[in-house]
Amino acid sequence: SGRAGPRAARAEAPAPVRAMSSASRSEPSSSSTSSTASAGARGSKVGRPAASHHGLDGAELERERGPMPQRFVAANGHGEAMAGAASARRWRILAFGDSLTAGYWDEGDRFAPYGAALAEALAPEFDAEVWVCGLSSLTALQMVKRLGLKKIRDGADRTGKGLQRILLEEGPFDLVCIMAGTNDLASSHNTPTMLLSSLLALHAACHELRARTVAMSVPPNANTRRSLSSSSRRLAAYRSRWEETNKRLREWAAGVGSRDGAALFVETEPLVPFTGDSELWEEDGLHLS
């Protein structure tokens, strides 16, 4: 789960950035699908009902849905390196991806990115700030096509930026964690070769700017689990694409990728396994709780 516990990381306003050219806006394309999970990490709601407040006031809810990237530090973090930290400097990490990175939950009324929990988990050994940009509904291919855009409106009606734009305006970063591809799998036309090409292009965009990356596997979901007990050819093909994409990404990270700037491959399934009674997942069978 990406929600922070009692020692919740706090979001801080990003530092001012230099003026850029006129803003660009990108609207993700929409597509109809037969099931929630097969739709990918989309979840845009029309006529959005009142959010589940869970004790939060309006200002706090607005901050959750604020412009991305958002910056998170441990609750006891300060502008200076934290006392007791193993390093005298603050580490800077960017988490980039789709709604699973954004921490989409409660049908998109709430957001709890894993980046906030990561900042807490690293403290106090490492004083880190984690920046998060999760573009709900976008495929990895769409992210590649929008690398330099200053403004992208996603399927959850939030705004973010293209990956290279973030690196140029908010960098440098010590690491960039990239987790994308769930939305690409929603289309049977997207082969593992096509999806891997998009994922590697995102990594290359970081390496070009001297930012090392962490390759995170495409997470499991209801479709990958149902395929184990179903005779559906569609589900079998879905799981096959998912497994093959992750296999190739893992091999790239251990080989060519490690020489190009990939620091690590993270297999997400053991960390957030998908089971029918798991509290790690939302009822939609797609998003983390």
Side-chain angles (χ1 to χ4, degrees):
S1 173
R3 293 180 213 164
R7 297 174 60 238
R10 70 173 186 270
E12 294 187 346
V17 298
R18 64 180 181 275
M20 303 296 290
S21 57
S22 59
S24 300
R25 174 182 172 126
S26 168
E27 297 286 350
S29 60
S30 60
S31 61
S32 59
T33 55
S34 58
S35 69
T36 302
S38 65
R42 300 180 185 277
S44 176
K45 294 202 297 182
V46 179
R48 185 183 301 276
S52 300
H53 285 204
H54 297 284
L56 296 183
D57 61 29
E60 289 173 308
L61 289 169
E62 284 301 312
R63 279 196 293 272
E64 279 193 5
R65 298 185 55 84
M68 298 175 286
Q70 291 180 315
R71 176 174 171 263
F72 296 88
V73 295
N76 58 343
H78 303 289
E80 301 298 328
M82 288 166 41
S87 172
R89 74 181 183 91
R90 171 168 286 184
W91 295 83
R92 307 186 77 245
I93 301 170
L94 170 64
F96 187 85
D98 52 33
S99 58
L100 291 165
T101 294
Y104 176 112
W105 68 286
D106 196 15
E107 297 184 289
D109 284 326
R110 301 291 308 281
F111 290 85
Y114 77 80
L118 178 59
E120 281 294 330
L122 291 172
E125 288 79 12
F126 294 96
D127 183 16
E129 60 182 50
V130 182
W131 295 62
V132 175
C133 184
L135 300 169
S136 299
S137 86
L138 266 67
T139 64
L141 178 59
Q142 289 173 321
M143 295 175 193
V144 173
K145 292 181 177 180
R146 295 157 172 76
L147 284 171
L149 293 190
K150 186 175 182 179
K151 185 175 183 180
I152 300 172
R153 186 168 296 279
D154 68 12
D157 201 30
R158 296 182 67 191
T159 59
K161 298 178 181 181
L163 178 55
Q164 279 194 326
R165 177 68 63 169
I166 296 173
L167 295 174
L168 291 170
E169 292 188 354
E170 316 292 359
F173 290 95
D174 296 292
L175 284 175
V176 180
C177 302
I178 298 175
M179 184 171 69
T182 297
N183 291 320
D184 303 73
L185 288 175
S187 171
S188 60
H189 299 295
N190 285 325
T191 66
T193 298
M194 295 166 61
L195 177 47
L196 183 67
S197 176
S198 297
L199 293 173
L200 298 194
L202 293 174
H203 284 271
C206 298
H207 300 161
E208 289 174 4
L209 296 175
R210 300 183 181 278
R212 301 192 73 190
T213 57
V214 174
M216 303 177 70
S217 69
V218 183
N221 58 52
N223 275 345
T224 62
R225 177 166 177 81
R226 284 201 298 261
S227 64
L228 298 175
S229 58
S230 171
S231 59
S232 167
R233 291 183 178 179
R234 180 183 65 82
L235 288 177
Y238 183 99
R239 184 178 182 87
S240 177
R241 296 197 312 276
W242 172 68
E243 290 179 330
E244 183 63 20
T245 297
N246 285 340
K247 173 178 176 289
R248 295 186 186 184
L249 183 61
R250 183 186 311 111
E251 292 173 345
W252 169 82
V256 175
S258 66
R259 297 189 292 272
D260 290 344
L264 182 69
F265 174 80
V266 174
E267 185 65 69
T268 59
E269 185 177 24
L271 298 175
V272 285
F274 189 95
T275 59
D277 58 352
S278 174
E279 295 182 353
L280 297 174
W281 296 87
E282 292 284 277
E283 292 182 0
D284 64 8
L286 181 68
H287 295 96
L288 293 167
S289 65

